[in-house]
Amino acid sequence: LGGAYHPYSTIQPSLTRVVNGGKILLANGTYYVASTLSFNKSVSMIGQSEAGVIIDVSGTASTSWGINPNMSNTSLSYMTIIPNAVNGGFPIHVGDNMVPVVISN
């Protein structure tokens, strides 16, 4: 996680450290998410492979989101996301808290 310069074993520290417009590179593996991953900046999160990078958001609360890419110019690619099938919830929510809501690209 975090590329060659700042490797992390979980996603949230990478989201905290990455600069606006930066990239987070996810190595193959399973990443368990217990609370919403909010980007709060424009980021590209790129997995090593769709089948090899598993983001498991099944541990998030039934009323929460797993991943909230809440900024324009944000992308997620080459990963599989496991939703919270038991309790409901939302694996990905694209939106921000601003009025009017404007997210593009």
Side-chain angles (χ1 to χ4, degrees):
L1 280 170
Y5 299 110
H6 305 289
Y8 298 102
S9 59
T10 60
I11 297 172
Q12 189 59 60
S14 297
L15 282 171
T16 301
R17 181 151 184 139
V18 69
V19 297
N20 197 38
K23 294 180 182 178
I24 296 173
L25 306 175
L26 300 172
N28 283 339
T30 300
Y31 301 91
Y32 296 97
V33 176
S35 60
T36 302
L37 291 174
S38 293
F39 284 29
N40 299 320
K41 55 184 93 170
S42 298
V43 172
S44 294
M45 188 163 23
I46 305 164
Q48 184 176 358
S49 69
E50 181 180 348
V53 174
I54 308 297
I55 299 179
D56 185 343
V57 300
S58 64
T60 58
S62 62
T63 57
S64 70
W65 308 312
I67 300 172
N68 185 17
N70 53 356
M71 299 293 289
S72 293
N73 303 310
T74 297
S75 66
L76 303 170
S77 56
Y78 304 109
M79 62 190 69
T80 298
I81 299 172
I82 298 176
N84 188 336
V86 174
N87 296 321
F90 306 93
I92 299 174
H93 175 268
V94 179
D96 64 19
N97 296 325
M98 302 179 72
V99 177
V101 175
V102 178
I103 295 181
S104 60
N105 300 324

